[in-house]
Amino acid sequence: MKYREVQECLRAVSVVISKRGGVIRINHFGGFEKSAIYVEDLQEAPNVGLKMARPEHLPSGWLGGDPSFPDKALR
């Protein structure tokens, strides 16, 4: 896969990647540095990103929040 293809695939599951030099940073959209994972192989990035998107790997509180939050945000 090419970088752009990996980026689009992971974006669909709310995971973002960025590349600086030969290092690829993978993180949750809006995630903090401590949740980032770094890889050097682009072929490894989709697997790491998709594993990161699974609920058990999301930062605590992202799934256990107030279920009415979206309704409150729209008011």
Side-chain angles (χ1 to χ4, degrees):
M1 290 183 107
K2 295 182 180 180
Y3 178 82
R4 186 57 129 181
E5 294 170 331
V6 173
Q7 188 178 40
E8 290 173 7
C9 172
L10 295 179
R11 186 179 295 147
V13 293
S14 298
V15 172
V16 293
I17 66 171
S18 59
K19 184 175 179 181
R20 181 172 286 179
V23 179
I24 299 168
R25 180 180 186 268
I26 306 166
N27 205 354
H28 302 281
F29 182 76
F32 294 107
E33 182 58 32
K34 69 179 184 176
S35 64
I37 298 175
Y38 293 86
V39 297
E40 294 183 3
D41 182 11
L42 181 61
Q43 303 309 315
E44 187 179 352
N47 294 332
V48 172
L50 291 174
K51 285 180 186 176
M52 182 181 281
R54 292 184 187 157
E56 65 268 17
H57 295 287
L58 291 174
S60 61
W62 280 28
L63 294 178
D66 182 359
S68 64
F69 176 75
D71 292 334
K72 289 179 183 177
L74 296 174
R75 292 180 189 165

